[in-house]
Structures are given as structure tokens and as C-alpha cells.
């Protein structure tokens, strides 16, 4: 029968419209039976004859729609026609050679729906594996590529989506698609950018990522910091998916892939510096899903962790450590939450105070996520749930003492149970568990990391040495964040110290064991051989070995007698002629902190020795080179002795702070010594032929020591207001590394609450910092802390405005000259750029005004300086409001700024006269107006004399 039909078609050359429709209908039939087979045979055998009739059929249909009013019903008919075209093309493409140009025309029409349908149809036809359409119709291919810039957003989205199958089946088109992806990754529409990222990420299993131009992936990396959350999430997932797909090749040292993809973990971790809650959650999800995905084999998972961490730069390693520290803090919150849940279940009638604490805790946890309201509601539902098993599972999930498999299984089970209760609740808790489950650093990693530590005995700069260094860093991170994980391995580290022949392994084991013992004092008991070995290190080892050994002895459970013997020996052998003097002082420094009572009867002699035989000794520099900073190990030997000797005295005061018999004379003597160090500049050292680097180290150590000591109530009186403001000037030291290390000390202390909020004030003295990276780091930190300020009561950063005005008023460089006021205006501008917002601008303006109605409590004669700065602050705040279009309303509440800094002037003629007087010179006001008109001026154009960018020197060891 088929043969007869074929012969008729070939001989007659014409078929009725009904017959053509009947043949074409077989392509979309649900059941492909004999009729379909017959239709295929006819089409294959009579392609040339049928082309014209098929073309006429589709032309009539498409033209009919172009003349219609485009109703929904007619639009559905058009979609069915295009579906038929796609079906025919997938089987008999040559039948449509005359139809394709009509689709090209449809892509150019004004009707958005027609254009989108035609673009999708041609995209699917281009994507078919056997399609040669882009070769047969290069002009149409270019037209289709041009639709990526269509005015309709949905069409651009669909265009991007269709690029995936095309890339999969026609790799030769990758260069052209790459260029298009670059453009779409910068598309003004959020949905297009997100779709472009998602399509790239979905190709990891279908297309070799090496076929991508690296610049495309770099564009995706830029989208990780996109303003829109959906784009950031898709970009992170895309990079993670590509990295995960090619990890085996990367880990086998494929240099091409490492060059093209090895940077992905670093780029992702650097997103943490954006510091948005949604970014953090997306990053955590990407790390757990792609960078460090589920792997029950502990060895493989550890090797992958070492590879990933080894690819990170110092900056991204800092971000990785920050992520782990954030997890540690969050685990503490969640453990408290679990305890609250247990308490609520144990007591059917929970008291009001407990309910209030639970609610406050849940609000605190929810504020750490982007969707605060949903997170809070999910936590409430969790507490109210009657299922006790979910609380047990949650406790297991967040327990650092559990191994990887148990935590992961508990996490899966918990999410499954929550999914049954509420899918929305499960979704929120997945984000919570991503942060709360200790699976990136897990106790199951420890034996394999310790094995890497022992196994790598290569020379420096070899791959084995690099692996050992990475393993050491990971173990240190574990000990500092999760010391409980090491309980099982403490004695293994002790064995390494006494049995291991590799010196590097011994040093690493000493350092790790010291961290573990310090975090869990009086927990571990070690055998006699280990104790004797540690005692020997404190007497004759290298300085670092002695320091770690002393820390272990001072914190172990059975080390009291050994500590007594060692301390007695150390104190009896403090002589400048002793070749092990640096070792002895390094040991004594740790004993002073952890066992200060053992030093109490010797402390007078120790102070005398450090002051007389070390600090007062001068060591002249040889040669013409006298840098402000060098590596610690390159310092003169006497300088190292001075630094360790002073640290010993500081540690003693820290450790002995609770003694009732604390010697005030020794305390006063040490503080005088520290302030003398701060007063000694590099210029003075150079002029006297002494080591400038030594004075820099001592200034830094003195500033850090004063901050530590005065945080304790016993020593608060030694940091008066003038002394505090003098301490702040160290942030304007001539040596970059003094400024940098002190700024880092302040930022870290403020972040973890080790120092008081008043130190925020000092950070604003970095306004003229000439090193852009340090300035950027300080500004980022302050803005980050300002963004976390609670609404309602003024935050510490907002209240620091008063202290900043006072500090600037007492600054040794302050004057009312126009030039100096321009310099000092930068401090206030820097403060405003970090802290001010539309919500607090009225408060800050009111604070500035209140200062003008007050008197300086420290030096009344300098009150006028504060009035000048008050007027300056008000002027700059007004200009800020004008620039930002913020309203400057009257602050509705009373503000009391009375403190050790200011007291209110009594109402009367004096106060009225001060309030109505303008203390800013007219010349200065004109300069400010001229400056505001010059948008391109350098914000640090008016810098202090020392503020010149010098060549960076090595950082602190």
C-alpha cells in the first residue's frame, strides 16, 4: 500500500490539502502505529515532491494567524503549528527547507508572542543533535543570536535557556555562545542574569567546562557579588557545580584545569566580605553542596578539604577561618536553643522568664538570616512541636563530638521529619543546619590530618611540605574552635613529641597539644617520659618549642610539681651570658600567665632583670640601613630578649590579676615602661644609631599590652582619658606594620567582645591611612558593625561620636587654621561615611549640638576646640543630608552626654553666647564649599606628614 502511495505522489506530484494534513498529523500522534510509519516512508521517499506542498500548508497557517486578532485560542493554535514544525524537523528536516525562512520572518515581527514562539522553535531546531540548520542558514542563525537582546525580558530568558542544549550538542558553537553569555551575564534584568548563571552551572555534566572561555566564568564570578540575591545564589551554584564536576582532574594536578577552575573556591569564599546575610547562607549552601559535598569516606573527604584549602589565598583563608568561627558561635546559640526546647518539654507550665529568654534567643538566631520572620516562625514551631525525636536529632546534628556520618544521617533524618511537618519549615532549617552542623571540620578528619602531618618529610617548598602546612593549619583551626574533638588524639600528639624523629612534626605536635591543653585546662594527664621531655624543651629547646612546652605543663592536670621545678630553674638561670636566655624567657612568659603564683616570690628579681639587663641596654646598629620594620627573626638578639622579657611581665600581671597581694609598685613600674616604649619613635632611634625596627616592635607590644591589661578592672585606672587618647595616636605611627597590627588587634577584640566599645573611637583615626588596603579593611569592619546595630537605643558606634570629637579636640595637631581644619574634617567625614544613615542622622546632629553646650572635663581650656569641631560636625552632617536627600528632623529625645569627657554648662549668658557663636573661620567654610564642588578630589589629600605610601615590608611573623 505504501509503495502505491509513493508511486502516486511521484507521478502525480500533487496532493490535496487534506492528505498533507493527514500525513503531518502523524508526527504529533500520541500512538505511533502503522499510519505513522507509512507517513514517514512517504516523507523520506518523496521529500523533494512534498517540500512545496508542506511549505504551502505552513505558509497558509502562519499567514492566517498574522491576519487574525491574536486571541488566546489562536495563539494556542500557533503554538501547535510550531510544535508540529519541531516534530517534523526532528525526523525529516529536509521537508522544511522552505519553511525555515518563514520562521526567520516571524522572529522579526512586532508581536511579542509570535516572536517568542518563533525564537523558541528555531532554538530547539538548532539544538537537535543531527541538526545542520545553523550551517544551512547562517543568516537565520545570526538573527536568532540577535534575539538575545530582545526588548521582552521573558524572550531573553528563554533564549538563554535554549543555549544549554545547543552547547551540549554543537560544541563548535561554543565561541559564539560564550560571547553571548558574557553579554547576558551583564543584562540589566535580574531574571536574565540569574538564568545565564543557572544555564552555565547546569552544563557541568554535559559539556567539558574547559570548553568555556575563562572570561565567561570570571563574569559569573562577578555575579557572585550581584546586587540581587537570586543572581548571587545562581552564580555561586554555577561555579560550585563546575568545580565539583572537574574536581578529580583538579586534584590530580591538571595544570590547565587548575588555571581555569582552581580559583573558584577562593572567589566564592571572598564573597563573605560582602557581609550580607543572604550571601552567607548561599555561600554555606554552595560549599556543602559542591565544594565540600557529602562524602562518607573520611580519607577522601579529608584529601578534598586539604586540596581546597591549599588553593586559597591568604585573604580567602581568612574568610574560611571566619566561616568556621561563625559556625562555632552559631553552634553555641543552637545548643542553648536545644536546651530551651528540652526545658519546655520537661515543664508543661514554663515560667514567664524562661519563655522570654527563649523568645529572645530565637530572635537573636533569626537575625542571623536574611528571612528573619520565616526563620523566627520556624523556630517557634519547632519549640511548640510535640515530636521529641526532632530535638534529639537536632542535638546530634550540632554536636562537634559526633563523627561525620552520624551528624550527616541525623541532619537528613531531621529534615525529612520537618518536611512531613511543614515543607517551609524544612527549607528554613536546611539553612540553619548548613551553618550549625560541624561537618567541614569534623573529628573524623583528625586522624587523616595527623597522618599527613607525620607522613610529609620532604624539604621546604615541595608539595609534601605544602600539604603538611595545610594540615597543620586545619588542625590549629580545629583546636581553637573545637578543642573537644582532640580529646582522643592528645596522647597521640604527646607521643609525637617524645618519639618522632622529624623536628617539624615535633614542633607541629607541640603547638597543637599546647592549643588543646590551653582550651581544656586540667583535663589531660601525661606520663613521666612526656613530662620530662616537655621540661627539657622549656630549658634548652628553641624559643617556640619552649613556649609550647610551658603552655602544656602549665595547663595539664599532673604538671604542678614539674612546673615548680622548671620555674625555679628558670629564675635561677636568668643571666645575660646564658646562651639559652631567649628559651628561658619564652618558657617563663607562659608560666607567668598560667601559673603566676609560682613566680610571685621571684617577680621582683624578674622585673629588675628585664629592666636593668635588657630594656636599658642599647645595641647600636651596624651599617647605613636601619629599616622601621623587619621580620621578627631578623631582629637583633637583644631586641628579641626585650620583647619576650616585657611580655613575661605583662603576662604575670594578667595571670595575677585576682591576687589580693598584687604588687602595685610593679604594676606602676610596668605601665611607665610601656608608655616610654610608645613615646620612643623610629626617628629618635635612627638619630641615636639604634634599631628602628626594635622600637616599632616595642611600641606595638606596648600598645597591645595596655589594651589587654586595662580591660581588667584591676588596671582600669592606668588608662585615663588622656592616656587613652594618646594610645590612639599609635594608629598614626610612622611604621605601617605598627598601624596595621594594632588596627587588627582592635578590630578582633571589638568583634569578639574582648575589649570595650570605646575602642571603636580610635579606629576613626585611620581616616588618613595612606595604605588603601588597611583603610578599606577598617572601613569595611566599621560598616559591618554599624549595620548590625540594634534599633532603639543608640549603638556604641553612634555614641562613639562624642568620644571622637573629644579625641580630635585633644589631638596634638589640632588648630583652627583652615589647612588643619581641612585635615580634621576628613576624620568626621570618615566617621559619617561608615556610621551615618537616614535613621540616625538626627541623633548624631543632636549629639554634635549638645557638645557645644558642654565644657571639657579633662582640660577646660580646650573646650573651644570641641566647639569648633561641633560646628564642623554639624556643617558636614547638613551637607551629607543635602547630598543624600535625607530629612534632618529634630531628635525627639533628650540626650545626656555627661561623662568623664564633658559636663553641661549651666544655663545663662555664657552658654547662650557659645551657642550663637560660629567657631568656624569663613575662609574654611568657603574651602569646604569649593571642595564639595570638586567631586574628583582625593579624600586623603590633606594627610599627615607621615602619610606617604612606603614600600611594604614583611608582616609580623
Amino acid at each position: 500500500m505504501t509503495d502505491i502511495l509513493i508511486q502516486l505522489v511521484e507521478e502525480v506530484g500533487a496532493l490535496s490539502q487534506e492528505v498533507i494534513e493527514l500525513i503531518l498529523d502523524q508526527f504529533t500522534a500520541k500512538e505511533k502505529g502503522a499510519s505513522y510509519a507509512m507517513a514517514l516512508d512517504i516523507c523520506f521517499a518523496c521529500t523533494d515532491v512534498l517540500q512545496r506542498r508542506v511549505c504551502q500548508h505552513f505558509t497558509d497557517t502562519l499567514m492566517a494567524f498574522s491576519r487574525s486578532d491574536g486571541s488566546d485560542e489562536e495563539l494556542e493554535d500557533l503554538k501547535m503549528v510550531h510544535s508540529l514544525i519541531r516534530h517534523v524537523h526532528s525526523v525529516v528536516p529536509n521537508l522544511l527547507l522552505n519553511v525555515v525562512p518563514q520562521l526567520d520572518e516571524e522572529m522579526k515581527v512586532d508581536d511579542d508572542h509570535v516572536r517568542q514562539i518563533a525564537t523558541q522553535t528555531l532554538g530547539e531546531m538548532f539544538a537537535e543533535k543531527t541538526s545542520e540548520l545553523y550551517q544551512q542558514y547562517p543568516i537565520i542563525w545570526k538573527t536568532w543570536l540577535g534575539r538575545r537582546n530582545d526588548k521582552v525580558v521573558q524572550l531573553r530568558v528563554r533564549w538563554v535557556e535554549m543555549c544549554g542544549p545547543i552547547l551540549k550538542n554543537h560544541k563548535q558553537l561554543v565561541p559564539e555562545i560564550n560571547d553571548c553569555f558574557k553579554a547576558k551575564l551583564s543584562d540589566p534584568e535580574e531574571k536574565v542574569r540569574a538564568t545565564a548563571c543557572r544555564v552555565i552551572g547546569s552544563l557541568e555534566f554535559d559539556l567539558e567546562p574547559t570548553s568555556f572561555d575563562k572570561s565567561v566564568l570570571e563574569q559569573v564570578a562577578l555575579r557572585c557579588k550581584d546586587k540581587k540575591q537570586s543572581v548571587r545564589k545562581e552564580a555561586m551554584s554555577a561555579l560550585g557545580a563546575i568545580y565539583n564536576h572537574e574536581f578529580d582532574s583538579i586534584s590530580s594536578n591538571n595544570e590547565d584545569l587548575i588555571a581555569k577552575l582552581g580559583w573558584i573556591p577562593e572567589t566564592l569564599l571572598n564573597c563573605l566580605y560582602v557581609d550580607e546575610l543572604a550571601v552567607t547562607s548561599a555561600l554555606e549552601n554552595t560549599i556543602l553542596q559542591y565544594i565540600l559535598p557529602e562524602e562518607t569516606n573520611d580519607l577522601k573527604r579529608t584529601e578534598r578539604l586539604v586540596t581546597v584549602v591549599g588553593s586559597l589565598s591568604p585573604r580567602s583563608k581568612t574568610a574560611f577561618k571566619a566561616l568556621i568561627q561563625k559556625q562555632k558561635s552559631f553552634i553555641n546559640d543552637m545548643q542553648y536553643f536545644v536546651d530551651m526546647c528540652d526545658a519546655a518539654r520537661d515543664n508543661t507550665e514554663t515560667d514567664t522568664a524562661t519563655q522570654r529568654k527563649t523568645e529572645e534567643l530565637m530572635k537573636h538566631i533569626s537575625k542571623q538570616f536574611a528571612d528573619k520572620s520565616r526563620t523566627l516562625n520556624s523556630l517557634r514551631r519547632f519549640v511548640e512541636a510535640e515530636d521529641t525525636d526532632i530535638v534529639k536529632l537536632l542535638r546530634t546534628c550540632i554536636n562537634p563530638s559526633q563523627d561525620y556520618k552520624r551528624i550527616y544521617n541525623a541532619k537528613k533524618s531531621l529534615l525529612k521529619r520537618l518536611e512531613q511537618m511543614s515543607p517551609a519549615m524544612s527549607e528554613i532549617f536546611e539553612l540553619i543546619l548548613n551553618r550549625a552542623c560541624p561537618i567541614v571540620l569534623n573529628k573524623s578528619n583528625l586522624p587523616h590530618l595527623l597522618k599527613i602531618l607525620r607522613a610529609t618529610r620532604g624539604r621546604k617548598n615541595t608539595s609534601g611540605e605544602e600539604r603538611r602546612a595545610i594540615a597543620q593549619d586545619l588542625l590549629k583551626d580545629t583546636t581553637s574552635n573545637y578543642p573537644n574533638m582532640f580529646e582522643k588524639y592528645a596522647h597521640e600528639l604527646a607521643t609525637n613529641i617524645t618519639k618522632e624523629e622529624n623536628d617539624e612534626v615535633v614542633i607541629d605536635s607541640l603547638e597543637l597539644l599546647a592549643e588543646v591543653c590551653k582550651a581544656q585546662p586540667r583535663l589531660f594527664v601525661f606520663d613521666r617520659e612526656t613530662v620530662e621531655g616537655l621540661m627539657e624543651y622549656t630549658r634548652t629547646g628553641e624559643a617556640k618549642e619552649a613556649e609550647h612546652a610551658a603552655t602544656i605543663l602549665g595547663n595539664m592536670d599532673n604538671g604542678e610539681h614539674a612546673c615548680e621545678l622548671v620555674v625555679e630553674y628558670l629564675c635561677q638561670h636568668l643571666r645575660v651570658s646564658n646562651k639559652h636566655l631567649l628559651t628561658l624567657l619564652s618558657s617563663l612568659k607562659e608560666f607567668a600567665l598560667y601559673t603566676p603564683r609560682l613566680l610571685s616570690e621571684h617577680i621582683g628579681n624578674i622585673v629588675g632583670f628585664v629592666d636593668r639587663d635588657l630594656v636599658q641596654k642599647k645595641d647600636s646598629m651596624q651599617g647605613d640601613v636601619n629599616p622601621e620594620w623587619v621580620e621578627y627573626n631578623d631582629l637583633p638578639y637583644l631586641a628579641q630578649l626585650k620583647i619576650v622579657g616585657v611580655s613575661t611581665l605583662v603576662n604575670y600581671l594578667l595571670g595575677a590579676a585576682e591576687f589580693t597581694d598584687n604588687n602595685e609598685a610593679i604594676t606602676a613600674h610596668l605601665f611607665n615602661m610601656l608608655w616610654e616604649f610608645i613615646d620612643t619613635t623610629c626617628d629618635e632611634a635612627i638619630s641615636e644609631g639604634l634599631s628602628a625596627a626594635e622600637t616599632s616592635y616595642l611600641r606595638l607590644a606596648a600598645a597591645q599590652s595596655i589594651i589587654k591589661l586595662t580591660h581588667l578592672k584591676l588596671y582600669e585606672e592606668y588608662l585615663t582619658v588622656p592616656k587613652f587618647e594618646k594610645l590612639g595616636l599609635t594608629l598614626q605611627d610612622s611604621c605601617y606594620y605598627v598601624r596595621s597590627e594594632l588596627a587588627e588587634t582592635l578590630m578582633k577584640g571589638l568583634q569578639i567582645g574582648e575589649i570595650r566599645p570605646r575602642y571603636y573611637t580610635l579606629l576613626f583615626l585611620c581616616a588618613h591611612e595612606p595604605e588603601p588596603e588597611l583603610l578599606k579593611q577598617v572601613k569595611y569592619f566599621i560598616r559591618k558593625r554599624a549595620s548590625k546595630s540594634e534599633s532603639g537605643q543608640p549603638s556604641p558606634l553612634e555614641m562613639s561620636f562624642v568620644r571622637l570629637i573629644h579625641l580630635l579636640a585633644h589631638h596634638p595637631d589640632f588648630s583652627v587654621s583652615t589647612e588643619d581644619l581641612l585635615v580634621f574634617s576628613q576624620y568626621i567625614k570618615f566617621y559619617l561615611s561608615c556610621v551615618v544613615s537616614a535613621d540616625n542622622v538626627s541623633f548624631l546632629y543632636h549629639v554634635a549640638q549638645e557638645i557645644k553646650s558642654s565644657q571639657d572635663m579633662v582640660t577646660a581650656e580646650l573646650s573651644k576646640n570641641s566647639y569648633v569641631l561641633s560646628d564642623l560636625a554639624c556643617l558636614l552632617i547638613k551637607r551629607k543630608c543635602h547630598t543624600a536627600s535625607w530629612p534632618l528632623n529634630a531628635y525627639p529625645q533628650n540626650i545626656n552626654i555627661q561623662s568623664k569627657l564633658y559636663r553641661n554648662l549651666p544655663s545663662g549668658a555664657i552658654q547662650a553666647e557659645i551657642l550663637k557663636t560660629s567657631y568656624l573661620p569663613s575662609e574654611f567654610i568657603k574651602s569646604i564649599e569649593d571642595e564639595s564642588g570638586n567631586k574628583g578630589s582625593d579624600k586623603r589629600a590633606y594627610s599627615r606628614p607621615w602619610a606617604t605610601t612606603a614600600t611594604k615590608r614583611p608582616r609580623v611573623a
Side-chain angles (χ1 to χ4, degrees):
M1 182 67 178
T2 303
D3 294 338
I4 295 173
L5 287 174
I6 292 173
Q7 185 176 358
L8 285 171
V9 171
E10 290 177 343
E11 292 178 355
V12 176
L15 293 173
S16 67
Q17 185 71 12
E18 290 77 10
V19 173
I20 293 294
E21 291 179 358
L22 182 62
I23 293 174
L24 293 176
D25 286 344
Q26 300 307 311
F27 288 92
T28 55
K30 292 182 179 180
E31 295 183 4
K32 303 291 192 295
S35 299
Y36 175 70
M38 183 183 297
L40 283 182
D41 290 340
I42 294 172
C43 290
F44 281 126
C46 308
T47 301
D48 295 338
V49 177
L50 292 175
Q51 274 182 7
R52 186 175 62 82
R53 296 294 298 169
V54 170
C55 177
Q56 185 63 46
H57 169 77
F58 284 118
T59 299
D60 294 342
T61 306
L62 296 175
M63 288 299 293
F65 180 82
S66 67
R67 292 190 295 267
S68 67
D69 58 1
S71 64
D72 291 343
E73 183 178 350
E74 289 171 328
L75 194 60
E76 289 301 317
D77 291 340
L78 181 64
K79 290 179 180 179
M80 292 177 61
V81 172
H82 278 262
S83 175
L84 177 57
I85 292 174
R86 291 195 295 271
H87 279 90
V88 172
H89 183 266
S90 65
V91 182
V92 196
N94 289 337
L95 205 61
L96 299 175
L97 292 180
N98 296 325
V99 177
V100 173
Q102 297 180 54
L103 300 180
D104 179 45
E105 291 301 318
E106 282 192 315
M107 286 195 296
K108 303 173 184 177
V109 300
D110 293 334
D111 190 297
D112 296 343
H113 297 295
V114 176
R115 212 165 56 249
Q116 183 168 336
I117 294 170
T119 302
Q120 180 169 340
T121 297
L122 278 169
E124 294 184 17
M125 292 164 68
F126 285 131
E128 291 176 7
K129 285 186 177 181
T130 59
S131 176
E132 298 179 351
L133 207 59
Y134 62 92
Q135 294 175 329
Q136 295 171 323
Y137 298 96
I139 302 299
I140 296 177
W141 167 244
K142 288 184 179 180
T143 302
W144 187 83
L145 289 177
R147 287 302 95 211
R148 69 182 184 274
N149 296 323
D150 197 280
K151 65 180 181 179
V152 178
V153 172
Q154 188 57 37
L155 196 156
R156 299 204 301 274
V157 170
R158 288 294 299 129
W159 184 93
V160 171
E161 290 174 340
M162 287 182 288
C163 286
I166 293 175
L167 283 172
K168 171 185 173 182
N169 296 324
H170 302 285
K171 296 182 180 180
Q172 64 273 27
L173 297 175
V174 166
E176 290 185 81
I177 300 296
N178 273 340
D179 291 339
C180 297
F181 265 121
K182 289 179 189 178
K184 292 302 99 188
L185 287 167
S186 300
D187 193 278
E189 176 56 43
E190 169 189 354
K191 293 180 181 178
V192 179
R193 299 196 302 276
T195 304
C197 293
R198 184 172 66 253
V199 169
I200 291 175
S202 69
L203 296 171
E204 79 277 24
F205 300 109
D206 304 319
L207 179 67
E208 288 293 327
T210 50
S211 298
F212 278 116
D213 190 312
K214 184 180 177 181
S215 62
V216 175
L217 299 181
E218 289 171 343
Q219 286 289 323
V220 177
L222 292 177
R223 292 305 105 212
C224 290
K225 297 181 181 180
D226 196 280
K227 293 182 178 180
K228 298 297 184 179
Q229 177 182 341
S230 62
V231 182
R232 292 194 299 259
K233 182 178 179 181
E234 294 292 353
M236 289 182 189
S237 296
L239 290 179
I242 293 171
Y243 182 83
N244 186 41
H245 182 234
E246 289 299 323
F247 179 78
D248 290 340
S249 298
I250 293 172
S251 60
S252 62
N253 294 323
N254 183 316
E255 294 184 2
D256 290 336
L257 272 177
I258 291 174
K260 289 187 177 182
L261 304 177
W263 50 270
I264 287 178
E266 176 179 344
T267 297
L268 291 172
L269 281 164
N270 285 342
C271 293
L272 196 63
Y273 290 100
V274 175
D275 193 49
E276 291 188 21
L277 299 177
V279 172
T280 304
S281 296
L283 175 60
E284 290 165 341
N285 182 70
T286 301
I287 289 175
L288 293 178
Q289 188 173 356
Y290 300 113
I291 307 301
L292 297 170
E294 179 182 2
E295 174 56 72
T296 55
N297 185 305
D298 294 334
L299 175 59
K300 289 183 179 180
R301 193 177 67 258
T302 304
E303 289 289 343
R304 180 159 183 154
L305 177 62
V306 170
T307 300
V308 170
V309 174
S311 70
L312 303 179
S313 67
R315 186 170 187 263
S316 49
K317 281 183 180 177
T318 301
F320 177 76
K321 293 176 186 291
L323 208 60
I324 299 301
Q325 290 168 357
K326 179 177 287 190
Q327 182 184 65
K328 174 192 174 183
S329 175
F330 189 69
I331 286 176
N332 292 337
D333 292 338
M334 291 304 297
Q335 287 175 335
Y336 188 25
F337 173 74
V338 171
D339 292 340
M340 290 289 191
C341 291
D342 282 338
R345 283 164 173 75
D346 293 340
N347 302 291
T348 54
E349 296 183 2
T350 308
D351 60 273
T352 305
T354 302
Q355 290 178 343
R356 187 178 66 254
K357 288 181 180 179
T358 304
E359 184 68 16
E360 289 175 354
L361 176 61
M362 290 189 295
K363 288 180 178 179
H364 169 70
I365 293 172
S366 64
K367 287 176 182 176
Q368 301 177 51
F369 294 89
D371 199 336
K372 299 177 180 60
S373 60
R374 287 184 63 202
T375 304
L376 181 59
N377 289 335
S378 296
L379 291 171
R380 286 170 176 163
R381 291 191 63 181
F382 190 93
V383 172
E384 295 166 359
E386 297 180 357
D387 189 346
T388 56
D389 289 339
I390 61 174
V391 180
K392 294 178 181 178
L393 288 170
L394 180 57
R395 188 179 291 280
T396 302
C397 285
I398 61 177
N399 187 354
S401 298
Q402 298 289 352
D403 61 34
Y404 180 89
K405 293 178 182 177
R406 179 167 290 188
I407 291 175
Y408 223 105
N409 290 335
K411 178 182 177 182
K412 287 183 176 178
S413 299
L414 176 58
L415 290 176
K416 186 176 180 180
R417 297 284 284 270
L418 294 177
E419 177 75 23
Q420 295 170 352
M421 295 171 57
S422 167
M425 186 177 175
S426 176
E427 180 184 344
I428 292 295
F429 261 85
E430 185 172 9
L431 298 178
I432 292 174
L433 295 177
N434 283 346
R435 185 173 303 172
C437 294
I439 52 181
V440 173
L441 284 184
N442 183 265
K443 66 179 294 184
S444 303
N445 298 124
L446 298 185
H448 304 289
L449 291 172
L450 290 169
K451 187 176 180 180
I452 294 174
L453 206 64
R454 292 191 301 269
T456 51
R457 302 182 182 217
R459 291 177 296 180
K460 289 185 178 181
N461 298 324
T462 64
S463 59
E465 177 64 18
E466 291 172 358
R467 281 168 52 79
R468 186 199 67 78
I470 295 166
Q472 172 73 350
D473 283 344
L474 288 170
L475 288 167
K476 285 170 62 177
D477 289 339
T478 307
T479 57
S480 60
N481 290 287
Y482 307 114
N484 292 343
M485 291 184 183
F486 261 93
E487 287 185 20
K488 181 180 177 182
Y489 303 99
H491 288 86
E492 183 177 341
L493 293 172
T495 302
N496 287 348
I497 294 170
T498 55
K499 306 292 186 183
E500 181 60 52
E501 297 178 359
N502 187 344
D503 291 340
E504 291 178 343
V505 174
V506 172
I507 294 173
D508 291 341
S509 298
L510 276 168
E511 183 177 6
L512 290 170
L513 189 56
E515 289 292 330
V516 173
C517 292
K518 184 166 56 176
Q520 299 174 289
R522 307 293 177 260
L523 177 64
F524 299 103
V525 176
F526 299 112
D527 58 32
R528 180 178 178 181
E529 182 182 7
T530 300
V531 174
E532 289 178 349
L534 293 170
M535 292 173 67
E536 186 62 24
Y537 277 118
T538 64
R539 295 190 290 255
T540 61
E542 296 294 329
K544 280 295 182 184
E545 295 172 345
E547 182 180 316
H548 297 321
T551 300
I552 297 169
L553 288 170
N555 287 281
M556 58 187 287
D557 188 44
N558 61 328
E560 185 175 353
H561 180 62
C563 290
E564 291 177 0
L565 295 176
V566 172
V567 168
E568 190 67 29
Y569 174 88
L570 298 177
C571 293
Q572 290 178 0
H573 289 79
L574 287 180
R575 292 187 293 273
V576 175
S577 59
N578 191 328
K579 66 177 183 180
H580 295 300
L581 181 58
L582 186 59
T583 296
L584 302 187
L585 285 172
S586 297
S587 300
L588 207 56
K589 175 167 68 79
E590 299 307 308
F591 286 122
L593 183 62
Y594 298 112
T595 59
R597 289 189 181 277
L598 297 179
L599 275 72
S600 58
E601 62 182 86
H602 303 285
I603 191 61
N605 293 332
I606 296 172
V607 171
F609 174 77
V610 171
D611 189 12
R612 179 185 63 254
D613 295 328
L614 300 181
V615 172
Q616 294 184 25
K617 295 291 184 182
K618 307 296 182 183
D619 195 2
S620 299
M621 288 292 294
Q622 303 298 323
D624 298 331
V625 180
N626 193 357
E628 289 186 338
W629 193 268
V630 295
E631 290 280 6
Y632 177 80
N633 291 333
D634 294 332
L635 283 170
Y637 182 66
L638 179 59
Q640 295 183 33
L641 291 174
K642 290 180 183 181
I643 293 168
V644 178
V646 171
S647 296
T648 301
L649 303 184
V650 172
N651 278 1
Y652 176 76
L653 291 188
L654 290 171
E658 297 180 0
F659 289 7
T660 55
D661 57 345
N662 187 60
N663 194 320
E664 293 184 7
I666 292 176
T667 303
H669 182 73
L670 177 58
F671 270 96
N672 289 335
M673 186 187 299
L674 296 176
W675 286 115
E676 287 179 10
F677 290 150
I678 288 179
D679 288 337
T680 306
T681 65
C682 287
D683 288 341
E684 292 174 355
I686 293 171
S687 66
E688 296 175 14
L690 304 175
S691 170
E694 174 188 311
T695 63
S696 294
Y697 270 90
L698 289 173
R699 282 197 307 279
L700 174 61
Q704 292 172 326
S705 299
I706 290 171
I707 292 170
K708 286 182 184 178
L709 287 168
T710 55
H711 183 66
L712 302 177
K713 190 172 183 60
L714 182 63
Y715 308 120
E716 281 181 340
E717 62 185 271
Y718 292 95
L719 191 62
T720 60
V721 171
K723 292 287 189 183
F724 174 79
E725 294 176 343
K726 178 181 179 179
L727 178 67
L729 296 179
T730 313
L731 284 169
Q732 297 183 331
D733 196 274
S734 64
C735 177
Y736 163 73
Y737 287 102
V738 174
R739 306 195 304 271
S740 174
E741 294 299 322
L742 182 58
E744 289 189 13
T745 297
L746 293 177
M747 289 186 287
K748 181 179 179 181
L750 288 165
Q751 184 169 5
I752 61 180
E754 283 188 349
I755 60 178
R756 291 180 176 83
R758 64 176 174 173
Y759 284 98
Y760 279 118
T761 308
L762 302 188
L763 289 175
F764 295 107
L765 290 177
C766 296
H768 289 285
E769 172 57 46
E771 289 288 349
E773 283 302 314
L774 178 55
L775 181 67
K776 182 179 178 181
Q777 181 184 0
V778 172
K779 192 170 187 176
Y780 165 77
F781 171 79
I782 297 173
R783 283 181 168 176
K784 177 180 177 181
R785 306 303 295 179
S787 67
K788 294 183 178 180
S789 297
E790 301 289 337
S791 58
Q793 293 299 319
S795 70
L797 268 169
E798 291 166 348
M799 291 305 299
S800 68
F801 197 34
V802 178
R803 193 176 292 276
L804 176 61
I805 297 294
H806 191 274
L807 187 154
L808 296 178
H810 288 253
H811 196 288
D813 292 345
F814 182 81
S815 79
V816 294
S817 70
T818 296
E819 182 179 356
D820 284 342
L821 286 177
L822 287 171
V823 171
F824 276 76
S825 68
Q826 301 304 313
Y827 293 112
I828 299 177
K829 287 181 180 179
F830 182 57
Y831 175 90
L832 296 177
S833 70
C834 296
V835 180
V836 74
S837 67
D839 296 328
N840 64 16
V841 67
S842 296
F843 169 79
L844 296 177
Y845 186 78
H846 191 57
V847 166
Q849 288 182 315
E850 283 293 308
I851 290 174
K852 203 170 176 182
S853 61
S854 306
Q855 186 179 49
D856 194 317
M857 284 281 288
V858 178
T859 308
E861 295 77 14
L862 295 180
S863 295
K864 183 179 177 181
N865 290 0
S866 293
Y867 304 154
V868 174
L869 290 165
S870 171
D871 282 348
L872 175 58
C874 289
L875 174 63
L876 294 177
I877 290 174
K878 286 179 181 178
R879 300 193 71 84
K880 178 70 176 178
C881 289
H882 176 75
T883 303
S885 299
W886 291 342
L888 186 56
N889 302 318
Y891 191 69
Q893 301 176 23
N894 291 326
I895 299 175
N896 184 7
I897 64 169
Q898 293 188 71
S899 63
K900 294 180 180 179
L901 306 180
Y902 295 105
R903 66 178 177 187
N904 288 337
L905 285 169
S907 300
I910 296 177
Q911 187 189 68
E913 181 65 24
I914 292 172
L915 289 173
K916 74 177 183 180
T917 302
S918 175
Y919 289 89
L920 294 177
S922 57
E923 181 184 352
F924 167 75
I925 296 175
K926 184 177 184 302
S927 297
I928 285 286
E929 292 173 349
D930 293 342
E931 182 189 89
S932 64
N934 182 11
K935 299 296 184 181
S937 61
D938 183 359
K939 68 183 289 184
R940 294 185 300 280
Y942 310 100
S943 47
R944 287 173 55 78
W946 53 261
T948 56
T949 304
T951 303
K952 287 190 178 182
R953 303 174 182 86
R955 289 183 64 80
V956 176

